[in-house]
Amino acid sequence: MLKFMVLSDSHRAGDWLAKAAEVCARGGFDGVIHLGDVHSDAKRFAELAGVTPLCVRGNCDLSRCSAPAERVETLGGVRFFLTHGDRYGVKSSLTHLSYRAEELRCQAALFGHTHDPFCGYVGAVLLLNPGALRDGNWAELTLKDGSIVPRLLSL
């Protein structure tokens, strides 16, 4: 069994970042995922929690940001599509994001951008948006034997 903390849209909210790092440090997480906006927060989180997040770049991140705009990762036997979401029009529809994840043969897509927590299926793909960390929102993913148990949480 693996457990991941999922963060997005931290937008330099230092107090929330520090609280998330505390939760991470005592929560027995196997990893952390940061879905963009702001990449420097992911670096600060790594300093605070001692865990370097898997990152993607968000629309508010500078072009010189070293994180990719999207990536595919296999974690606990599950194939994930990680993106901020702005490139897929997630504020108006989740269809394009779902199609892209299916094209990439992913069982789940993790995204942010809307600042609104969301967890549900669109087509065959589980979509998870932890909401904005700047509002105290985050998500937990538990992976076991290829299954995904998501939880939307608040600090």
Side-chain angles (χ1 to χ4, degrees), residues 5-155:
M5 174 179 264
V6 184
L7 308 171
S8 188
D9 298 282
S10 45
H11 293 283
R12 294 186 179 88
D15 290 345
W16 288 120
L17 197 68
K19 287 180 183 180
E22 288 174 20
V23 170
C24 182
R26 67 175 189 266
F29 290 93
D30 296 290
V32 177
I33 299 166
H34 190 283
L35 300 167
D37 285 357
V38 168
H39 184 67
S40 61
D41 289 345
K43 292 178 180 181
R44 178 70 181 134
F45 182 92
E47 294 169 3
L48 294 169
V51 177
T52 301
L54 291 173
C55 295
V56 293
R57 179 175 61 241
N59 62 298
C60 292
D61 290 311
L62 300 174
S63 59
R64 66 180 184 265
C65 172
S66 62
E70 53 189 50
R71 64 196 295 170
V72 173
E73 295 287 337
T74 300
L75 307 167
V78 178
R79 194 167 160 92
F80 287 93
F81 176 47
L82 311 179
T83 185
H84 184 63
D86 55 306
R87 295 174 171 214
Y88 295 94
V90 296
K91 287 187 176 182
S92 59
S93 172
L94 299 176
T95 304
H96 295 298
L97 177 62
S98 176
Y99 286 162
R100 180 64 177 144
E102 285 185 30
E103 284 176 344
L104 295 169
R105 298 179 328 279
C106 295
Q107 293 105 312
L110 308 181
F111 70 104
H113 189 55
T114 68
H115 293 204
D116 297 322
F118 175 82
C119 184
Y121 279 87
V122 175
V125 179
L126 175 66
L127 303 182
L128 175 71
N129 181 337
L133 181 60
R134 78 166 191 192
D135 298 327
N137 297 312
W138 65 288
E140 177 185 283
L141 285 177
T142 303
L143 310 174
K144 184 175 180 182
D145 301 325
S147 68
I148 309 166
V149 179
R151 291 177 59 206
L152 294 172
L153 300 162
S154 294
L155 294 170

